Amino acid sequence: MAREPQSAPGRLTTIVAGWQARRIEDPVARLHFLRHSLGDRRVWDVPRLARQEWKRRKIVWAAAGCGLLLLPAGAWKGNGVLWDRAPVLTAQASERDANYIPSVWLVEQGTEREEYSNGLRIERRYETSLTPREYVVFQRGREDRGASAARTAPAGIVFHSTESAQTEFQPDQTRRMRIIGTALLEFVRQEHAYHYVVDRFGRVWRIVRESDIANHAGHSVWADRDTTYLNLNRSFLGISVEALTDPSAGQSQVTPAQVHALRVLTEMLRSKYRISAQNCVTHAQVSVNPGNMQAGYHYDWAVGFPYAQVGLPDNYAAALPSIWLFGFSYDPSLVKVTGEPFWRGLVLGEEQLRQNATAHGLSLEAYRGLLEKRYRQILSTLSANNVKAKEREG
Ligand SMILES: [Zn+2]
């Protein structure tokens, strides 16, 4: 359903624009088109599935004047501040796809490798351990009420690229690629940098055990429908592809074997830990810099992650939680280098942020200030929990 204003533009303009908009499949493109055509910021698509979900969670309608402001019950805090409103545009896709969990099982396990029912083979020669995983999360919409009890199962996957030296993917370069790949694996193991590396031939190397923390995500933010995650080293698994995906380096050189490996590995991990599809995201989408409150500090896979081929919904279409949940901004130059997919998440995040600010009757700047304060509070709760966890680890 698209609510279309009937006053500012003429009725004919509205009808024509509405007809044209219905022919645009992409919801973001449609939204932008309507904005352009009708010159009205109130245009917003409220998908049916999202509305059903909001109803289920006892959503109350508020601000009857425009009929567009949805407030989750209990979202008002003691200090009278609405914490946030989740983006409805992305809820539809995630609602549908997150329900599907593949079924994959271990077929054979040896000291050198593991084999799985979907054809996945994991090489274990570089396997190492670091620190057992233990982490806390925050309930969506009630983030400032403190952290959850400690959890140990991974909640999601962050996809990285190694951004390491590359040589042409040609038969006569095989020896060179193997030398580069071995040096890379040794470096990654030494740094405990990821849980898995997918080399250029599509071989999957386990580096840090799934039960342990890897140093892959640094300062980062993600959220699903129920939960907010901060600093994902502890809560998410890290998979890195031996590739260059920095948008400034041009087209990424991911090989078909790597895409296949990513798919079977993702299927296995989602099956094993019941990871929702919406929690499988790229480093660029989660990375933040608390120093300047800007999103996209690291931008590996800011562009070109093959979501569809990996069997996932296009999570680039998700509004970036760092922006709408904590008021992060971004360097405008980022938009120039990342290309449209990542840009969409930024735009949707800002759109949601603006709507939430309006719902409070606050200026964008004032609302951002409020969210930053909340972010820093939650960050300190998290640090205190991590210190406690480290103490327990001895
Ligand atoms: Zn990364």
Side-chain angles (χ1 to χ4, degrees):
M1 182 187 78
R3 289 173 180 270
E4 295 170 10
Q6 296 295 310
S7 52
R11 185 167 159 70
L12 182 63
T13 313
T14 306
I15 291 168
V16 171
W19 178 78
Q20 285 177 306
R22 280 192 289 278
R23 298 166 68 89
I24 302 171
E25 274 185 22
D26 183 309
V28 180
R30 187 164 64 237
L31 182 65
H32 278 271
F33 169 79
L34 283 166
R35 288 254 159 77
H36 259 276
S37 311
L38 305 174
D40 190 308
R41 305 199 70 78
R42 290 175 298 163
V43 177
W44 192 249
D45 191 2
V46 184
R48 187 163 55 87
L49 280 176
R51 276 189 287 127
Q52 282 170 351
E53 170 56 14
W54 282 110
K55 258 191 198 164
R56 192 179 68 74
R57 296 174 74 186
K58 296 184 183 156
I59 298 309
V60 293
W61 283 90
C66 69
L68 286 174
L69 305 176
L70 289 166
L71 308 182
W76 290 93
K77 300 284 115 191
N79 56 6
V81 172
L82 175 68
W83 182 210
D84 61 66
R85 177 159 63 93
V88 277
L89 266 179
T90 55
Q92 184 185 34
S94 49
E95 188 77 18
R96 190 177 54 239
D97 299 314
N99 290 334
Y100 170 71
I101 301 277
S103 173
V104 179
W105 58 94
L106 182 66
V107 173
E108 209 168 321
Q109 186 173 37
T111 50
E112 287 278 300
R113 76 179 50 93
E114 285 172 8
E115 291 175 20
Y116 289 82
S117 61
N118 64 347
L120 168 68
R121 282 163 61 116
I122 293 176
E123 305 293 336
R124 303 186 64 189
R125 229 175 310 151
Y126 289 85
E127 187 173 308
T128 181
S129 62
L130 185 59
T131 307
R133 168 180 298 98
E134 186 181 309
Y135 66 98
V136 292
V137 297
F138 300 87
Q139 190 184 347
R140 271 278 302 105
R142 300 182 178 199
E143 285 84 350
D144 49 2
R145 290 197 179 176
S148 70
R151 299 181 180 191
T152 54
I157 298 170
V158 176
F159 298 106
H160 302 261
S161 54
T162 56
E163 301 302 315
S164 49
Q166 302 273 285
T167 183
E168 224 181 326
F169 195 69
Q170 294 295 337
D172 62 356
Q173 294 295 311
T174 301
R175 190 169 167 272
R176 194 165 145 70
M177 280 188 274
R178 288 182 62 175
I179 292 168
I180 293 173
T182 302
L184 175 71
L185 289 169
E186 277 164 5
F187 175 76
V188 169
R189 179 172 62 174
Q190 191 187 315
E191 300 293 317
H192 299 98
Y194 310 106
H195 293 92
Y196 287 100
V197 169
V198 176
D199 74 15
R200 297 199 71 196
F201 307 107
R203 292 177 297 182
V204 176
W205 299 89
R206 182 180 289 136
I207 308 294
V208 176
R209 288 186 188 134
E210 290 159 19
S211 57
D212 291 1
I213 297 161
N215 301 318
H216 65 103
H219 284 292
S220 41
V221 174
W222 192 248
D224 58 30
R225 196 185 60 191
D226 304 312
T227 309
T228 297
Y229 308 90
L230 253 67
N231 299 353
L232 310 178
N233 279 350
R234 285 175 176 267
S235 49
F236 279 43
L237 295 162
I239 300 177
S240 195
V241 185
E242 186 184 358
L244 281 172
T245 69
D246 184 329
S248 60
Q251 198 67 18
S252 100
Q253 298 295 315
V254 181
T255 65
Q258 285 178 315
V259 174
H260 175 75
L262 273 175
R263 184 182 182 106
V264 288
L265 176 59
T266 301
E267 281 175 357
M268 184 279 282
L269 294 171
R270 290 193 59 215
S271 171
K272 192 169 176 181
Y273 300 107
R274 307 208 59 79
I275 293 171
S276 110
Q278 63 180 313
N279 283 346
C280 301
V281 289
T282 73
H283 196 187
Q285 291 173 276
V286 301
S287 173
V288 296
N289 180 359
N292 59 10
M293 286 300 286
Q294 285 192 346
Y297 180 65
H298 289 276
Y299 46 91
D300 41 328
W301 287 121
V303 64
F305 186 79
Y307 274 117
Q309 290 158 279
V310 175
L312 294 167
D314 177 14
N315 283 335
Y316 280 130
L320 289 199
S322 56
I323 294 180
W324 65 266
L325 199 47
F326 294 117
F328 278 80
S329 61
Y330 57 89
D331 184 339
S333 64
L334 196 60
V335 174
K336 285 188 198 136
V337 293
T338 57
E340 204 237 338
F342 186 62
W343 175 85
R344 280 199 299 172
L346 298 172
V347 168
L348 282 172
E350 286 224 315
E351 189 62 53
Q352 193 61 49
L353 183 71
R354 264 194 297 274
Q355 290 194 17
N356 291 345
T358 307
H360 284 292
L362 290 174
S363 71
L364 190 58
E365 198 186 345
Y367 187 56
R368 269 209 159 106
L370 184 77
L371 295 185
E372 180 180 345
K373 209 167 135 194
R374 292 283 172 81
Y375 170 70
R376 299 210 181 275
Q377 274 171 5
I378 295 166
L379 212 53
S380 57
T381 306
L382 191 71
S383 306
N385 272 284
N386 289 348
V387 168
K388 276 189 226 158
K390 273 186 192 147
E391 282 167 3
R392 277 195 296 278
E393 286 151 14

